[in-house]
Amino acid sequence: MRFIKASIATLFSLVVIFPIIYTISASFFTYADFTSIPAKLLPSSFYLENYVRAFAETSLARFLVNSFVTATLGMLLRMGISIGAAYAFTFFTFKGRDLLFFVVIATMLLPSDALILANYSTIRTLGLTDTYLGIISTKLLSPTHIFMLRQYFKTMSREYREAALIEGCSDARFITTLLLPISKAVIITLGIHSFSNIFNDYLWPLLITNKEGMRTVQVGLTMLGFSENLDYGPQFAAIALLMIPIVIAFIIMHSPIQNSVSSRFAGR
């Protein structure tokens, strides 16, 4: 049974990582590799021209900068809003608190595509088109993050906050010195999710930006390659480059998340 479980887990792992492996492999394909029959999984040679064309044929460097700026700024603002809202819903008592929380969570049922026209009209009226704030504006409120953080904060005893307030500790100091370190695992996880979600967004940046200099990298990818002649090399090269930040973030944050979760369940 142990061998069967390991084999099944390995099989599923290969299915998950196969697109990543193929993307890296295809980034070195020549035109002949893409048009060969039968299809190839490995390149005939390491054709680095695809990476050169990815930067030469479009403003890929500028697109990458825009994506990093919007993803980082959006992640920080979203996490700040989510932590503040979750803290208020957990530790504060005020009239209509539960109803307001229900309304916030109920917005999860609204499909984002149904709101895109209203959002575009609002952002355009505010004059935020072709701006970083306009690109991240629809990503700042995350009911899912608020819900998960609230549930996590509720595992903490209220006596900690009461004792801190008696000692003259403000709410801001309590959050930064005690609450955030204890909740490091869930905050890092949600932070990575937010960064990846904003970084990979396509439709909204496409609508809200008109200037090429404000395009994000997901929009810029559509300017690479031509489906008519199977010239996909530069696209695969750009996609391979885009995977690097997410992989690095996961590698760096994997150990802190694991240690934090282990310490949490060990009661330390």
Side-chain angles (χ1 to χ4, degrees), residues 228-268:
E228 292 81 2
N229 58 5
L230 301 179
D231 190 12
Y232 292 121
Q235 281 187 325
F236 277 103
I239 294 171
L241 291 173
L242 295 185
M243 293 190 297
I244 295 176
I246 305 300
V247 173
I248 292 177
F250 176 79
I251 293 174
I252 294 176
M253 297 301 179
H254 175 71
S255 181
I257 292 175
Q258 189 176 36
N259 293 336
S260 181
V261 172
S262 300
S263 299
R264 179 71 174 176
F265 283 99
R268 298 196 296 271

Side-chain angles (χ1 to χ4, degrees), residues 63-176:
F63 298 154
L64 285 170
V65 170
N66 291 339
S67 290
F68 275 111
V69 171
T70 54
T72 303
L73 182 61
M75 181 266 293
L76 293 175
L77 291 176
R78 175 192 273 190
M79 292 305 301
I81 293 172
S82 298
I83 291 171
Y87 181 80
F89 284 129
T90 303
F91 294 101
F92 291 171
T93 301
F94 52 89
K95 188 176 181 180
R97 182 191 65 177
D98 295 337
L99 177 61
L100 181 59
F101 179 72
F102 175 79
V103 171
V104 172
I105 298 303
T107 59
M108 295 170 58
L109 302 176
L110 297 174
S112 57
D113 292 343
L115 303 174
I116 197 165
L117 181 60
N119 289 336
Y120 177 79
S121 178
T122 302
I123 297 303
R124 185 177 180 180
T125 302
L126 294 174
L128 295 178
T129 55
D130 290 315
T131 63
Y132 291 139
L133 184 58
I135 295 174
I136 66 175
S137 57
T138 59
K139 300 291 184 179
L140 298 183
L141 179 64
S142 175
T144 304
H145 286 26
I146 294 174
F147 173 77
M148 295 184 67
L149 286 169
R150 176 179 178 270
Q151 296 305 111
Y152 198 87
F153 291 167
K154 287 179 68 176
T155 62
M156 178 183 294
S157 175
R158 287 176 170 268
E159 295 177 355
Y160 289 152
R161 179 173 178 269
E162 294 173 357
L165 293 179
I166 292 175
E167 294 296 328
C169 180
S170 63
D171 285 302
R173 185 178 179 185
F174 175 75
I175 292 174
T176 55

